[in-house]
Amino acid sequence: MKKLLILTLLAALTTGARADDYSYLVFTLNDGTTQTVSASDLSMTFADGNLTATSGTNTVTIALTDLAKMEFSNKLPTGINNIRTDVTIDDNTEIYDLNGRRLPSSTTLARGIYIIKSNGKTSKVQVK
């Protein structure tokens, strides 16, 4: 079973989809949750029954037995489809990285995309 899953994953990666044609690699787990990494500078390894995907400083490790699907996408699976660059951050602003981890509002944001909750609105924000 494990060998079949690995062969299927490798075949999917080599059948014409190029990471630089897409913005994200989205992993869907058996429980329906998703994890996302940027497709920019993406590297993947398979070891000890795990898949590890690394892009920049973001690393996602998933047990192959937990992986239901993975696909390249140009949209984050957040339901938030607009990306803004004009958000003001104050003490009441909630900032999340793409893995859903809440960051302190005093954090200096590196280049990338974040989820921002402010004044009752949620947006994707790109820091250039």
Side-chain angles (χ1 to χ4, degrees):
M1 174 69 173
K2 213 184 294 188
K3 287 182 182 180
L4 178 61
L5 181 58
I6 291 172
L7 290 174
T8 303
L9 292 173
L10 291 175
L13 289 173
T14 59
T15 57
R18 293 177 12 160
D20 53 333
D21 292 339
Y22 297 94
S23 300
Y24 308 100
L25 180 57
V26 180
F27 301 97
T28 304
L29 305 182
N30 292 329
D31 64 4
T33 61
T34 59
Q35 294 188 32
T36 305
V37 321
S38 171
S40 175
D41 299 320
L42 177 66
S43 68
M44 292 181 26
T45 58
F46 296 89
D48 300 323
N50 294 314
L51 175 152
T52 301
T54 303
S55 176
T57 60
N58 187 17
T59 299
V60 172
T61 300
I62 300 169
L64 291 173
T65 55
D66 294 337
L67 184 63
K69 174 174 76 170
M70 74 178 186
E71 61 189 337
F72 288 103
S73 176
N74 282 317
K75 291 185 179 182
L76 284 172
T78 61
I80 305 167
N81 295 320
N82 61 328
I83 297 179
R84 299 177 54 195
T85 58
D86 62 343
V87 172
T88 302
I89 296 175
D90 59 27
D91 290 337
N92 296 322
T93 303
E94 296 177 27
I95 305 169
Y96 298 88
D97 66 13
L98 294 181
N99 288 321
R101 293 182 296 241
R102 186 171 178 180
L103 306 173
S105 59
S106 61
T107 301
T108 301
L109 299 176
R111 218 174 88 183
I113 296 178
Y114 299 88
I115 306 300
I116 305 293
K117 291 184 179 182
S118 181
N119 299 323
K121 295 182 181 179
T122 302
S123 302
K124 268 192 274 189
V125 175
Q126 181 176 16
V127 176
K128 294 182 177 187

